[in-house]
Amino acid sequence: MRVNVTVNGEVREADDVWEGESLLYVLRERLGLPGSKNACEQGECGSCTVYLDDVPVCSCLVAAGQVEGRAVRTVEGLADGDILDPVQQSFVDHGAVQCGFCTPGLVVAAHDLLNRVARPSDEEIREALAGNLCRCTGYEKILDAVRAAAVLKDTAKGGVA
């Protein structure tokens, strides 16, 4: 089957797709977007998280046949050209990226949180990131990055630093 999907604002087409093939596979292997990572294939680790119609989902659990005519935004689509989104930049600046495997899912989850809550509490951050597993960082640098990104985003919107 052919799948027509808008990915990061661009209408894309993937041919010879098995309808039960995962969205993750389509993104990585058919559309050349390797940002979302393939780790557990069971929706347990969060490394493949993307937006589907502006809702974060584990792309390993979404069948390709379900995305026909819908909109997907990947971690690559958060940046504005060469300018990283504040969440992405904050992860880099605060050393929250180590092996990088969990990073795409954590960035998308944090991005979603900060779109909903301008200045989240530590409890809200932990809750939002709970579905994302990281084996390298111990999470403290990730929390630092999300806190800093919240300040950057809120200040950019006219909030007080």
Side-chain angles (χ1 to χ4, degrees):
M1 74 181 249
R2 173 177 290 155
V3 174
N4 297 289
V5 59
T6 301
V7 180
N8 300 330
E10 178 184 338
V11 176
R12 303 286 302 268
E13 186 177 280
D15 288 319
D16 299 322
V17 174
W18 170 59
E19 63 187 33
E21 197 169 281
S22 73
L23 171 59
L24 175 62
Y25 187 86
V26 170
L27 291 170
R28 290 181 57 81
E29 305 302 329
R30 300 195 183 275
L31 299 178
L33 294 166
S36 303
K37 302 301 183 216
N38 184 2
C40 74
E41 295 183 355
Q42 297 177 8
E44 295 292 329
C45 72
S47 67
C48 67
T49 303
V50 299
Y51 286 108
L52 178 59
D53 295 334
D54 295 322
V55 176
V57 299
C58 289
S59 61
C60 71
L61 297 179
V62 177
Q66 294 178 292
V67 301
E68 177 66 31
R70 298 176 75 183
V72 173
R73 189 172 183 197
T74 68
V75 69
E76 292 99 335
L78 299 182
D80 183 10
D82 291 338
I83 300 170
L84 296 177
D85 178 85
V87 176
Q88 293 169 310
Q89 188 63 57
S90 189
F91 267 64
V92 172
D93 293 346
H94 289 84
V97 177
Q98 288 190 14
C99 84
F101 217 78
C102 65
T103 306
L106 285 162
V107 167
V108 172
H111 184 270
D112 178 62
L113 170 66
L114 297 181
N115 282 341
R116 294 180 289 109
V117 181
R119 295 282 182 107
S121 66
D122 282 359
E123 183 177 325
E124 289 170 312
I125 295 170
R126 284 186 172 90
E127 178 70 25
L129 302 183
N132 294 267
L133 302 178
C134 176
R135 297 176 189 251
C136 298
T137 64
Y139 296 98
E140 197 55 45
K141 290 181 183 221
I142 294 167
L143 295 172
D144 292 343
V146 176
R147 289 181 201 112
V151 172
L152 283 173
K153 286 182 80 128
D154 193 37
T155 302
K157 291 179 183 176
V160 178

